[in-house]
Amino acid sequence: EFADFANGNQPGADGQGVLVVAADAGSVAWNYGLREGDIVTAVNRTPIQRLSELKQAVADSGQALMLKVQRGAGAVFILIQ
């Protein structure tokens, strides 16, 4: 489950992205490495700020996605094929 996120105090470039509200153990999102509290900030190197942008990027991507995810004070990249 995802939601828009905006917080100027959040670590990261601009404190915006798409918040992972829930990632249940065993779900597709969990199996690819997304965790509750992660903030997706870019898809295939294109910054995103809203859930609608994430959905459009997924629809336009074809098969593979590279997500840049803010996790705590750091960032991770998650490859989804």
Side-chain angles (χ1 to χ4, degrees), residues 19-33:
L19 176 66
V20 178
V21 177
D24 297 328
S27 69
V28 173
W30 177 272
N31 290 338
Y32 276 111

Side-chain angles (χ1 to χ4, degrees), residues 24-73:
D24 297 328
S27 69
V28 173
W30 177 272
N31 290 338
Y32 276 111
L34 288 170
R35 299 295 181 258
E36 185 175 322
D38 284 352
I39 301 166
V40 181
T41 59
V43 178
N44 294 339
R45 298 186 180 160
T46 300
I48 60 166
Q49 298 181 357
R50 294 183 176 84
L51 181 55
S52 59
E53 294 171 338
L54 174 62
K55 289 179 179 180
Q56 187 63 51
V58 170
D60 293 345
S61 71
Q63 299 241 342
L65 291 172
M66 183 178 66
L67 306 180
K68 182 178 181 185
V69 175
Q70 191 74 33
R71 182 175 288 161

